[in-house]
Amino acid sequence: MALTREQLAQRVSQEFQDGFYVNLGIGIPTLAANYIPDDMDVMLQSENGLLGMGPFPTEDEVDADLINAGKQTVTMATGAALFDSAESFAMIRGGHVDLTVLGAFEVDVHGNIASYMIPGKLIKGMGGAMDLVAGADNIIVVMTHASKHGDSKLLKECTLPLTGKGCIKRVLTDLALLDIEDGKFILRERAPGVSVEDIAALTEGELVIPDNVPEMQL
């Protein structure tokens, strides 16, 4: 079965390492804040000026003035810091974020990402994504493997306006974990109960399938 949003967040949190500064993009990535292991020290960075986001608040913890980049209310972890957006983007542009987790509409075999505009649809702009993909070396995209119409989102070439070129090396979808190497998608893990054939059928870009593709451990 395809992974749920919460399961995607749970799996992507396994990419965190002790001492990492991590930026979580709007949407599914923000849910990963709830799955940081208790024995791991990870500081979550929000481009609107917060370093040290904690889990989402319970009803009695909600503070309307404390929000992430997606305008969701959040909590602050021990040691958190608040600063203005200019300082936040200086941190991003200076390469001081260890891992960036972003959503996307499309990713292709060249590591290109399209994440901010669908022609004909109302958009609010690309947000901080262009800065994030330009300033980070370690980026993982989290998204559904196919659109709601059943079309692959893992492509030979992106069809939508690009957010960044040649910047994506790893993609986590509701069906699989894949790396991007030498103009190909490399299948690393599959969602529990999802077959290699199911993944191949929904992957437009060239897909390399190793002899053994383990199921994800959640």
Side-chain angles (χ1 to χ4, degrees), residues 4-183:
T4 65
R5 290 167 57 90
E6 292 290 343
Q7 288 173 321
L8 279 167
Q10 187 177 353
R11 175 58 188 86
V12 82
S13 71
Q14 296 176 24
E15 302 292 308
F16 299 167
Q17 295 181 27
D18 196 44
F20 262 21
Y21 293 98
V22 178
N23 182 287
L24 300 177
I26 295 170
I28 295 172
T30 59
L31 300 176
N34 290 335
Y35 295 100
I36 299 173
D38 293 335
D39 60 350
M40 186 178 291
D41 182 18
V42 172
M43 294 294 275
L44 300 178
Q45 192 253 16
S46 178
E47 63 213 45
N48 62 325
L50 170 59
L51 178 64
M53 282 188 292
F56 284 106
T58 59
E59 189 171 340
D60 60 343
E61 292 176 324
V62 170
D63 180 345
D65 293 324
L66 195 60
I67 60 173
N68 63 19
K71 309 300 186 291
Q72 298 166 302
T73 53
V74 294
T75 60
M76 289 197 297
T78 301
L82 297 168
F83 36 84
D84 67 27
S85 183
E87 287 182 276
S88 182
F89 276 95
M91 182 178 181
I92 292 167
R93 293 167 184 166
H96 304 296
V97 175
D98 298 298
L99 175 65
T100 297
V101 184
L102 294 174
F105 297 132
E106 298 175 345
V107 173
D108 68 26
V109 295
H110 308 292
N112 300 328
I113 176 175
S115 67
Y116 77 94
M117 187 175 80
I118 298 177
K121 299 286 187 179
L122 180 66
I123 61 167
K124 297 180 180 178
M126 70 289 296
M130 285 187 174
D131 286 276
L132 287 162
V133 299
D137 291 326
N138 189 11
I139 304 166
I140 182 166
V141 167
V142 180
M143 64 180 191
T144 57
H145 208 97
S147 71
K148 61 183 179 181
H149 304 295
D151 299 320
S152 177
K153 295 165 69 173
L154 294 150
L155 306 177
K156 297 175 183 176
E157 298 275 353
C158 287
T159 63
L160 297 173
L162 296 183
T163 308
K165 297 183 68 174
C167 53
I168 306 304
K169 299 174 184 175
R170 177 161 278 201
V171 182
L172 173 66
T173 76
D174 55 344
L175 302 183
L177 178 71
L178 310 100
D179 287 328
I180 301 175
E181 298 176 5
D182 301 321

